Amino acid sequence: MRKFFLLSLITTSSLLGVAQQTQKPVLHGKNWMAITGKPLAATAGSMIFQKGGNAVDAACAMLGATCTMWDVLSWGGETQALIYNPKTGKVIGINALGVAPTGATAEYYKSKGYNFPPEYGPLAAVTPGTVGGLCLMLANYGTMSLKDVLAPSMQLAAGYAIDAQTANSMERGKQMIKQWPYSKKVFLPHLGEKREAPEGGEIFVQKELLETLTKMVEAEQLALKKGKSRKEAIMAAYDRFYKGDIAQEFVRGCQEQGGLITMQDLANWKPIEEEAMHVNYKGIEVYKLSQWTQGPMLLQSLNILENFDLKSMGYNSTRYIHTLYQTMNMTFADRDFYYGDPYFPPAEPIQGLLSKDYAKFRAKQIAMERNDPLAGPGDPYPYEGKTNPYIDVLKKRGFNMDTTSTQRRNFAPAHDVRNEAVAAIDADYMDRLWRGTTSVEAADAEGWVVSITPSGGWLPACIAGNTGVGMSQRGQSFVLDPSLNPFNVIEPGKRPRVTLTPTLALKDGKPFLSFAVQGGDTQDQNLLQFFLNIVEFGMNVQEACEAANINTNQLWLSLGGSKVDDRKPRPGSLLLHDNTPEWVRKELRQMGYTLTFDDRTSGPINAIYFDWKHKTFWGGSSNHGEDYGIGW
């Protein structure tokens, strides 16, 4: 009853513009804000701020700490970041996603009986990206040395009191962990006992990881002694990881366990600084990373929703939920077919996908009276003056991109998903849908803002040799069948299309919001609603973090599942919060939805709101999970 009461207060108070009680308080600060997935990691960010570092320094320290604490990621994973540079007024994208290694072809995986690359183990690995991303951000936009920024991570690696959530994850995954000798050595210190993983509160030591971080710092300090600049010295540490003795041990350990990564793969990979994509929603510029993430899906959704009066519908009313669901189904369908690595051919039609005219056409396709189980990819090519080369592929799959919603209801596709029973939303499916990571948000009084959604190398992780570094599992987000997505077929040197998606928003040319969330395919669903909660319904940042969301399952899963059916969309499947009124439930069922309920409808959202009237920060962090913030 208390939970329902509080959430009702949040909803009512937000619509009336009156602040009310939330389960966690808003964070306030005037000098800096540090928010991330673990309390100790937020503390690492505060330590760097207190030593005079800027938001980039602090964000890098939090990133390193979360990796060291296995906050559903590892040092061998990938990093996706947006940085606002107050000196230029520009938003910078950081692409530190690894690539498929030598020999990783669709034919190779098919020959081993896979429908998708595997979920776990060395054959799921792309090259590690987080180390390179951290070094690039720190070198180009930070102020401190790698030695200073990695100090909290090194202290944690030397031994910290492990949280029960992580320790229990190690214990649950121990049968898989035992397949990999280097993982077993790190994660199961009590091998042969009833409980083989650490207990909550036990001092967890990672000797090999500490040695790896020490080697990087040694390379930096040696370069400084030789007269190199701060930036050059940081990149000397980068080189030792990707080209030196650390790389050699990583590759040896990877290949010993059946992986494909080579020394050349590591040496050839580079993090990329790129231009962020953005759209204007009612005077607010919303920035996301490009189509190698799912980020443009949120931008496409805002373009479509701009054609509706959302505020008049009412927060989480039947009409509002239906409009959101239909919009997200369309933009996810575009994501699932058209998104991929922009540095590899064929070129994605991203200009058309983000066109306001394309959004208006898609808005007209929405059937307002019922769920459309046939929602599929549109045709963005005419909106950039081109002809779609994949029309025949889409028609063969049963899609007709040119129809209006009325015409669509009369269209009989080759494979009519309306005749399929909606698959049960079981625990395995929800794990693949929600599969978490962490997020990092940081801001300072000088104006630097950082939003990061790192991931990869989560438990149960396969550690590469005696490095202490868990390998990424992001290869599973590739497809092997080009008819599913011709832009995201695995090949050596290519990045998979990931779910990871930090966000920045500017208003009047100044930072307005910095926000990110964990949770696989639900990330941009929840970030979209968080943004609308603030912009359309007047919630403050903490209310918006805690507010009830909806989730659509009418999309192709990006993670897990060895069979095609495991990843297929579940048409009409809708997750609602437990507090959804009965009349809304009844109306949605009449509109063709199959409903499930939970008291958790969002991964933990972390966010910073910029109060320019008072020149202060408002920090928000969800009321479940371990996410934590500190402000000053």
Side-chain angles (χ1 to χ4, degrees):
M1 180 61 71
R2 180 176 180 272
K3 192 180 299 174
F4 176 86
F5 177 67
L6 282 173
L7 284 164
S8 298
L9 278 177
I10 292 167
T11 303
T12 305
S13 69
S14 299
L15 297 182
L16 295 176
V18 179
Q20 289 282 355
Q21 180 69 42
T22 49
Q23 291 183 9
K24 286 173 69 173
V26 175
L27 288 168
H28 291 286
K30 72 171 186 177
N31 296 303
W32 50 261
M33 192 69 67
I35 311 175
T36 189
K38 297 275 190 186
L40 284 178
T43 303
S46 72
M47 290 164 63
I48 296 301
F49 273 130
Q50 290 172 341
K51 289 181 178 179
N54 70 5
V56 179
D57 298 316
C60 288
M62 287 190 281
L63 173 60
T66 57
C67 290
T68 304
M69 299 177 72
W70 299 90
D71 188 18
V72 205
L73 78 165
S74 161
W75 279 96
E78 48 274 350
T79 285
Q80 296 67 217
L82 292 170
I83 300 172
Y84 175 76
N85 184 342
K87 297 178 180 178
T88 63
K90 301 291 185 183
V91 176
I92 304 140
I94 301 296
N95 178 341
L97 171 62
V99 299
T102 300
T105 64
E107 291 71 26
Y108 174 82
Y109 286 100
K110 287 178 182 177
S111 73
K112 291 186 169 291
Y114 291 113
N115 294 301
F116 299 94
E119 290 183 67
Y120 294 103
L123 287 180
V126 295
T127 55
T130 288
V131 171
L134 188 153
C135 289
L136 180 71
M137 289 188 287
L138 183 63
N140 288 351
Y141 302 106
T143 66
M144 301 177 79
S145 68
L146 188 67
K147 179 181 179 181
D148 288 336
V149 166
L150 290 190
S153 298
M154 295 172 73
Q155 292 174 39
L156 290 167
Y160 75 97
I162 193 170
D163 56 279
Q165 180 172 307
T166 303
N168 291 340
S169 182
M170 293 173 183
E171 180 68 12
R172 283 194 305 271
K174 66 182 181 181
Q175 293 309 316
M176 191 175 292
I177 287 169
K178 287 178 182 179
Q179 299 176 63
W180 308 312
Y182 304 101
S183 298
K184 181 170 64 175
K185 184 168 61 170
V186 173
F187 298 135
L188 305 178
H190 309 302
L191 205 62
E193 300 177 19
K194 183 177 180 181
R195 182 183 175 97
E196 298 179 301
E199 295 179 345
E202 181 179 335
I203 301 301
F204 177 52
V205 177
Q206 300 172 79
K207 184 174 66 173
E208 293 84 1
L209 177 60
L210 178 58
E211 290 173 358
T212 293
L213 299 178
T214 300
K215 287 176 181 179
M216 291 176 62
V217 169
E218 286 175 351
E220 177 199 45
Q221 295 303 300
L222 181 60
L224 288 172
K225 287 180 181 178
K226 291 181 177 179
K228 301 292 185 181
S229 67
R230 186 189 72 91
K231 181 175 180 178
E232 289 170 332
I234 292 170
M235 298 316 290
Y238 170 101
D239 284 343
R240 187 166 185 182
F241 186 92
Y242 286 97
K243 300 174 185 177
D245 56 344
I246 301 172
Q248 290 170 355
E249 178 58 19
F250 185 98
V251 168
R252 186 202 66 76
C254 171
Q255 293 185 358
E256 177 193 330
Q257 298 173 96
L260 301 175
I261 296 172
T262 68
M263 286 293 291
Q264 189 172 8
D265 293 329
L266 292 184
N268 289 345
W269 179 84
K270 295 285 189 297
I272 301 170
E273 189 174 302
E274 59 189 25
E275 186 174 346
M277 293 187 164
H278 62 101
V279 300
N280 186 288
Y281 182 82
K282 299 186 177 181
I284 300 169
E285 295 289 337
V286 184
Y287 288 81
K288 302 291 284 189
L289 293 165
S290 70
Q291 64 269 28
W292 57 275
T293 73
Q294 67 174 330
M297 172 266 166
L298 183 145
L299 303 182
Q300 285 188 248
S301 297
L302 289 175
N303 280 346
I304 293 173
L305 292 169
E306 204 171 34
N307 295 282
F308 299 91
D309 186 355
L310 301 179
K311 190 173 184 178
S312 70
M313 293 180 186
Y315 165 71
N316 279 2
S317 67
T318 302
R319 188 174 178 82
Y320 178 71
I321 290 170
H322 177 72
T323 304
L324 272 178
Y325 190 97
Q326 299 306 308
T327 296
M328 292 193 296
N329 290 351
M330 287 182 166
T331 55
F332 272 121
D334 282 344
R335 178 204 75 165
D336 293 339
F337 189 78
Y338 291 116
Y339 289 18
D341 186 350
Y343 302 99
F344 263 66
E348 299 82 3
I350 195 66
Q351 181 183 344
L353 289 167
L354 294 181
S355 161
K356 295 284 189 179
D357 288 337
Y358 177 63
K360 287 178 182 177
F361 178 76
R362 293 291 264 167
K364 291 175 183 177
Q365 289 186 306
I366 293 177
M368 296 307 297
E369 67 276 10
R370 284 189 65 80
N371 178 52
D372 179 5
L374 302 179
D379 185 2
Y381 282 90
Y383 297 89
E384 53 184 50
K386 299 174 183 175
T387 300
N388 193 331
Y390 302 104
I391 289 290
D392 290 342
V393 175
L394 289 164
K395 286 183 176 178
K396 188 174 180 181
R397 285 183 55 194
F399 297 119
N400 187 339
M401 291 76 65
D402 299 323
T403 57
T404 63
S405 59
T406 303
Q407 292 169 323
R408 188 193 308 279
R409 290 195 297 277
N410 298 321
F411 174 65
H415 179 60
D416 192 341
V417 293
R418 288 174 296 186
N419 296 327
E420 291 183 355
V422 175
I425 307 302
D426 57 25
D428 288 341
Y429 174 87
M430 291 307 296
D431 173 65
R432 296 193 296 273
L433 176 72
W434 281 88
R435 192 159 290 169
T437 175
T438 195
S439 59
V440 175
E441 302 296 317
D444 64 36
E446 188 183 353
W448 290 96
V449 187
V450 185
S451 181
I452 311 177
T453 314
S455 191
W458 53 73
L459 295 169
C462 180
I463 291 177
N466 294 305
T467 62
V469 173
M471 289 184 276
S472 170
Q473 302 97 339
R474 194 55 59 174
Q476 67 185 289
S477 291
F478 281 114
V479 300
L480 307 183
D481 179 358
S483 73
L484 294 179
N485 182 340
F487 303 92
N488 191 36
V489 179
I490 192 169
E491 57 182 296
K494 190 175 186 178
R495 296 164 184 82
R497 193 274 302 152
V498 297
T499 55
L500 306 155
T501 177
T503 324
L504 289 179
L506 307 185
K507 188 175 183 180
D508 301 324
K510 297 184 290 188
F512 174 65
L513 281 171
S514 176
F515 53 112
V517 67
Q518 60 170 279
D521 290 295
T522 68
Q523 287 182 40
D524 273 318
Q525 300 187 46
N526 294 317
L527 294 178
L528 173 65
Q529 291 168 82
F530 167 86
F531 178 79
L532 294 173
N533 289 343
I534 290 176
V535 173
E536 295 289 355
F537 300 113
M539 298 186 195
N540 70 39
V541 67
Q542 185 60 35
E543 290 173 330
C545 283
E546 294 188 18
N549 283 352
I550 70 163
N551 283 180
T552 173
N553 298 316
Q554 193 168 318
L555 49 79
W556 281 87
L557 289 185
S558 303
L559 298 167
S562 59
K563 301 175 183 176
V564 174
D565 282 349
D566 293 336
R567 297 203 186 191
K568 273 186 176 179
R570 276 115 166 115
S573 177
L574 169 60
L575 174 66
L576 298 173
H577 197 277
D578 287 341
N579 71 355
T580 305
E582 186 56 42
W583 68 85
V584 174
R585 302 180 186 204
K586 181 179 179 180
E587 290 171 345
L588 289 168
R589 288 189 179 106
Q590 291 171 344
M591 298 173 78
Y593 291 103
T594 301
L595 308 182
T596 55
F597 303 90
D598 204 329
D599 64 352
R600 171 188 170 184
T601 52
S602 170
I605 298 171
N606 291 322
I608 302 171
Y609 167 76
F610 298 84
D611 182 348
W612 289 101
K613 178 181 178 181
H614 303 103
K615 296 183 179 178
T616 61
F617 308 112
W618 293 49
S621 186
S622 287
N623 55 323
H624 57 80
E626 300 177 298
D627 295 60
Y628 197 83
I630 302 174
W632 191 254

